[in-house]
Amino acid sequence: MSNVKKHVSRLLIFCMILVCFAGCKQKDKETAGDETKATNEPSSSAKQDDPEPTKEAEPPVELDIHFHSNNKYTIEGEDGKILPVFQLAADETNVIVHNVANPVAQNSNDEFQLQASEQFPADIYGGTSLRSAIMNYAYQGAFLPMNDLIDQYAPNIKKFLEENPEVKRSLTAADGNIYMLNYMPDGDVGRVFFIRQDWLDKLNLKMPTTFDELEEVLYAFRNNDPNGNGIKDEVPLFNDKWQELVRSVNLWGARCFGFDTFEERVVFDENDHFYHAWTADKFKEALIGLNKWYKDGIIDQEAFTRKTNTARSTLWTKENVGGMTHDFFASTSNFNHNEELLASTPDFNLVGMLPVHKDGSAWEEHHRAVAKPDGWAISANCKNPEAAIRYMDWFFSEKGHIAYNFGIEGDSYTMKDGKAIFTDKVLSQSNVFTFIQKTYGAQLPIGYKQTFDYEAQWVSKEGMDAFNLYKNKGEDFYLKRTPIFNLTQEETEEYEAYLSAVNSYQDEMVVAFITGKTDIESNWDAYVERCNELGAQKIVDIYNVAYERYLNIK
Ligand code: CA
């Protein structure tokens, strides 16, 4: 019965599309084609018997896209051309896209705020960590609610949301509207600990299984010259991002981030009550431990000044001084196969390590999010919202989904037995993810669903071993994530103000605590008090209200 209903509703959608796009046969066929493929149902007879008279194709609609992510990417490549996957989407949906974001801008958030001051003149806006900013402006009328647009013109997005109610819940604002399509990662295991097995072997040490053993190992890495150059130059613990170093508080059993973004510092306790992780007593104890490690040279002395995402390549590939890190299993384990590195350090060997906590707890905090606060939205000034949502919908079509994960067929991937397989051109890259982003525009954080399959193809054996090590620990090993909340306009405004004030104060103070610039014991109470003055506890209060509402979204 429900199948029949579904089929009828699909036909209805299809008919609506025909009416809506009666002037453009080509578009009708593509939309129908995507639907057919996506549902595996033979509704193509309607397409073949298309009663619409052939008219001249409509001229393509032009869309200005302001997308700026990770402080470096727009939809335009270094050659000034639209990146291949964004161009393919444009060709397939009969639109012409223009990049209107500054391709050399250094800060994605500033780029976005600049557009706010001009009332968002482009058609589509997007980038990293924009969710709360977009919601804030959406409540002021700057971005369009997409619900009706999705219903009418975006069959692939509609289907996806129907099939993924948790995602739909995360995307739906407190007023019931969807204003933004988010990047949705795939796979559950994300960051894991990796440690130098070659160094453990060299110093005759065992894989640490307790915190005390880990501390012994790290001090041995520091003091016993495992790289064998006679110089005390080892950096036992380091991270590509300084926030990940702060996450080392996990080793003391303290929480740090609520889900997969460094902005989110409100977490659940074991009774599902929220608290602010960065003001907790356990966090303080952990900072005292990290401060000692910092003084003793256990953690990277340049952790807070080093350029983001350069530590692994510097401390491993270039200098062979790094011991242990906490990072994504695929890209990290690939260092085992990095030719430049192996040329100078043939024994280099990373293996996955389970977290070992001082308080005896065993869990991993980092978990890929259901939806990230990255993505894109349609400006209220959009010249043609229908074209904009059709363009966005393509990335959820079968063809768009594959292209956006794998790039361009025949170049970056080929199809084998219905599966996209990366070509050697891609697999030979030292960082596949960065390569496909930069070269094809694939996997930039627009609204799309990632497929873990893209990653599984280039993960080394050590990477998969680490993946399984964590995966096999079961569900409870991963802590319950703070949901992405749907705040009201009032809450959003407050939250935005509190969050930036609290986070920037904490960033500054926590770095000072770890590096020893500010004494922890004598300044902790004042620090907590200041956090609360700036709104740390207010954020927790907002979350408690939002959580009640979240649980009631059907
Ligand atoms: Ca040394």
Side-chain angles (χ1 to χ4, degrees), residues 1 3 47 60 75 85 88 112 134 143 146 149 151 184 200 220 224 242 337 351 366 415 490 498 502 511 531 533 553:
M1 186 64 189
N3 271 343
K47 190 173 74 179
I75 65 162
V85 178
L88 178 63
F112 180 78
I134 284 179
F143 293 99
M146 295 181 181
L149 290 169
D151 266 352
M184 289 158 276
L200 290 173
N224 301 342
W242 67 266
H337 304 275
V351 295
H366 182 263
M415 293 301 288
E490 200 186 358
Y498 296 143
V502 171
V511 171
C531 288
E533 274 169 23
I553 298 176

Side-chain angles (χ1 to χ4, degrees), residues 199-423:
W199 283 11
L200 290 173
D201 293 345
K202 186 141 187 205
L203 301 179
N204 228 342
L205 295 162
K206 281 193 314 223
M207 173 66 75
T209 55
T210 64
F211 180 87
D212 290 345
E213 285 173 13
L214 172 66
E215 202 164 39
E216 249 173 68
V217 161
L218 293 174
Y219 276 80
F221 279 2
R222 180 65 188 156
N223 297 322
N224 301 342
D225 193 26
N227 70 2
N229 64 354
I231 305 168
K232 191 170 174 175
D233 56 353
E234 284 78 3
V235 182
L237 175 62
F238 70 94
N239 299 87
D240 254 21
K241 294 184 166 66
W242 67 266
Q243 295 95 334
E244 276 300 314
L245 184 82
V246 177
R247 200 206 293 271
S248 305
V249 298
N250 288 174
L251 292 168
W252 280 262
R255 291 295 311 278
C256 196
F257 299 113
F259 76 103
D260 189 14
T261 162
F262 298 133
E263 307 303 311
E264 182 56 79
R265 299 166 186 185
V266 174
V267 299
F268 280 118
D269 67 13
E270 50 281 0
N271 301 314
D272 281 3
H273 294 129
F274 289 114
Y275 68 97
H276 199 294
W278 289 41
T279 59
D281 291 344
K282 255 192 167 167
F283 192 80
K284 177 192 170 191
E285 292 312 310
L287 289 183
I288 292 170
L290 283 177
N291 170 241
K292 181 173 187 301
W293 281 10
Y294 187 84
K295 274 193 302 207
D296 293 344
I298 299 304
I299 53 185
D300 185 10
Q301 304 294 293
E302 292 175 50
F304 306 106
T305 49
R306 200 184 285 287
K307 197 169 170 240
T308 299
N309 294 335
T310 61
R312 288 182 302 178
S313 55
T314 306
L315 302 183
W316 282 337
T317 314
K318 294 199 178 73
E319 300 176 2
N320 183 29
V321 293
M324 166 180 159
T325 196
H326 184 253
D327 212 320
F328 285 99
F329 65 91
S331 62
T332 309
S333 63
N334 263 18
F335 280 87
N336 279 354
H337 304 275
N338 180 311
E339 284 173 22
E340 185 191 346
L341 191 162
L342 292 174
S344 55
T345 316
D347 296 335
F348 185 91
N349 184 19
L350 293 169
V351 295
M353 182 193 101
L354 285 170
V356 287
H357 295 170
K358 195 173 174 69
D359 67 354
S361 60
W363 40 259
E364 170 57 51
E365 180 178 86
H366 182 263
H367 200 181
R368 292 187 214 225
V370 172
K372 294 269 281 181
D374 322 336
W376 56 9
I378 302 175
S379 169
N381 290 321
C382 179
K383 297 181 292 290
N384 193 326
E386 174 194 321
I389 199 75
R390 267 197 295 114
Y391 186 71
M392 292 163 132
D393 187 60
W394 182 81
F395 295 90
F396 286 82
S397 71
E398 190 181 353
K399 188 169 180 183
H401 177 67
I402 291 173
Y404 207 66
N405 276 281
F406 293 92
I408 297 295
E409 188 170 6
D411 182 353
S412 57
Y413 74 94
T414 54
M415 293 301 288
K416 278 179 200 138
D417 305 326
K419 275 184 69 179
I421 308 290
F422 277 127
T423 57

Side-chain angles (χ1 to χ4, degrees), residues 397-453:
S397 71
E398 190 181 353
K399 188 169 180 183
H401 177 67
I402 291 173
Y404 207 66
N405 276 281
F406 293 92
I408 297 295
E409 188 170 6
D411 182 353
S412 57
Y413 74 94
T414 54
M415 293 301 288
K416 278 179 200 138
D417 305 326
K419 275 184 69 179
I421 308 290
F422 277 127
T423 57
D424 287 344
K425 178 180 174 182
V426 173
L427 294 174
S428 63
Q429 298 296 325
S430 59
N431 191 327
V432 169
F433 187 55
T434 310
F435 177 75
I436 61 171
Q437 283 189 321
K438 198 175 66 180
T439 313
Y440 304 98
Q443 302 232 8
L444 293 177
I446 60 164
Y448 84 103
K449 177 63 187 170
Q450 187 182 53
T451 168
F452 177 68
D453 198 36

Side-chain angles (χ1 to χ4, degrees), residues 25 114 156 164 170-171 207 245 268 295 351 360 552:
K25 271 190 64 115
L114 206 63
N156 299 299
N164 295 278
S170 298
L171 264 50
M207 173 66 75
L245 184 82
F268 280 118
K295 274 193 302 207
V351 295
N552 288 322

